[in-house]
């Protein structure tokens, strides 16, 4: 089975030196999502006004398989998205 490494960044890089053997790229993507979900759920990072939290999945050859980012959205940007969604809903 191929080996994948899951590096994390939140203002500072934490390298996964050991990695994990997984069946394929799809399994590695699911693992990256699981890592992101666990960190967000457990409150292990500060997203409020801080650097984005990133999970980078790299295969044994050093190629990027996937990357995930979680960060606070500014209130103004969130308000614009909400207004657009409400506008689309009223047009539909």
């Amino acid at each position: 089975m191929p080996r994948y490494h899951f590096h994390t960044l939140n203002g500072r890089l934490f390298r996964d030196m050991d990695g994990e053997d997984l069946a394929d790229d799809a399994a590695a993507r699911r693992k990256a999502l699981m890592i992101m979900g666990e960190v967000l759920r457990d409150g292990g990072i500060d997203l409020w006004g801080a650097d984005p939290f990133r999970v980078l999945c790299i295969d044994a050859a050093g190629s990027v398989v996937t990357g995930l980012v979680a960060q606070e959205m500014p209130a103004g940007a969130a308000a614009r998205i909400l207004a657009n969604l409400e506008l689309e809903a009223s047009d539909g």
Side-chain angles (χ1 to χ4, degrees):
M1 281 199 288
R3 181 165 292 268
Y4 297 88
H5 299 269
F6 299 89
H7 307 311
T8 58
L9 297 91
N10 188 218
R12 193 172 133 206
L13 173 64
F14 295 93
R15 291 188 180 275
D16 173 11
M17 300 306 287
D18 297 326
E20 186 172 337
D21 293 332
L22 296 167
D24 55 22
D25 286 0
R29 287 185 188 95
R30 287 190 300 275
K31 178 68 177 189
L33 190 57
M34 188 178 81
I35 292 168
M36 177 68 79
E38 287 174 357
V39 170
L40 293 174
R41 182 186 63 242
D42 295 342
I45 58 165
D46 179 15
L47 291 177
W48 316 120
D51 290 331
F53 176 72
R54 296 177 171 94
V55 176
L56 303 176
C57 176
I58 313 299
D59 66 16
S63 298
V64 174
V65 176
T66 194
L68 301 172
V69 178
Q71 73 183 93
E72 178 184 19
M73 180 182 296
R80 284 189 297 279
I81 290 170
L82 181 59
N84 287 337
L85 290 172
E86 290 172 348
L87 181 62
E88 288 174 12
S90 68
D91 287 344

